[in-house]
Amino acid sequence: RQRQMCIRDRNLYLVGLMNTADRSLAMVDYALRRRFAFVDLIPGFDTDEFREYMSDKQAESEFVEELISRMCILNEKISADSTNLGKGFCIGHSFFCAVPNGTVPDSTWYKRVIKSEIEPLVRAYYFDDEKQAASLVDALLQDI
């Protein structure tokens, strides 16, 4: 016997997040898509909100624009790789939104985020093309 739950509060929203780039979830994804509405989230690097967040953290605007440019270029390349990746694999801005209190986002902080979080992801994406992975990571780190 099934029981149904009735939610009467129209101001309550249940939000579930799922990384559709994880191919091992394909069967779960199909089941969920039949039952729920989905909204695609895209990286928010080139938004006023991201710029304001970085400004609130005392990051210099020139540095922020360079970070945005580099990450947008990387995401364009990932999105264009329709054979292996595509737009669902683009790297989001959240990697850059966990600035510890007292830390000013600068090139040292940026390089740490790239080396510890973005580089491993890019290398996993291009596990069969080490040269491409290295080229993409080098472009992120070059002269910043």
Side-chain angles (χ1 to χ4, degrees), residues 10-93:
R10 294 183 190 268
N11 293 321
L12 175 66
Y13 294 91
L14 299 178
V15 178
L17 300 176
M18 181 174 155
N19 184 353
T20 57
D22 187 343
R23 294 179 184 165
S24 67
L25 295 175
M27 296 308 289
V28 174
D29 185 27
Y30 298 138
L32 291 173
R33 286 187 187 277
R34 289 193 309 265
R35 292 170 177 88
F36 299 98
F38 275 70
V39 175
D40 287 334
L41 300 177
I42 60 172
F45 288 107
D46 198 17
T47 63
D48 290 340
E49 292 82 5
F50 183 72
R51 285 180 176 87
E52 287 172 24
Y53 173 80
M54 296 301 277
S55 177
D56 289 347
K57 293 292 185 176
Q58 308 302 312
E60 293 183 17
S61 60
E62 189 175 301
F63 164 76
V64 173
E65 293 305 317
E66 187 63 29
L67 181 159
I68 291 168
S69 174
R70 289 175 188 229
M71 292 307 300
C72 286
I73 289 168
L74 173 63
N75 279 335
E76 286 171 11
K77 291 179 180 180
I78 289 170
S79 188
D81 184 356
S82 59
T83 303
N84 299 307
L85 301 173
K87 69 179 184 174
F89 288 82
C90 287
I91 296 171
H93 59 283

Side-chain angles (χ1 to χ4, degrees), residues 99-112:
V99 180
N101 287 333
T103 299
V104 174
D106 60 9
S107 62
T108 302
W109 167 83
Y110 168 84
K111 288 176 186 177
R112 190 175 23 226

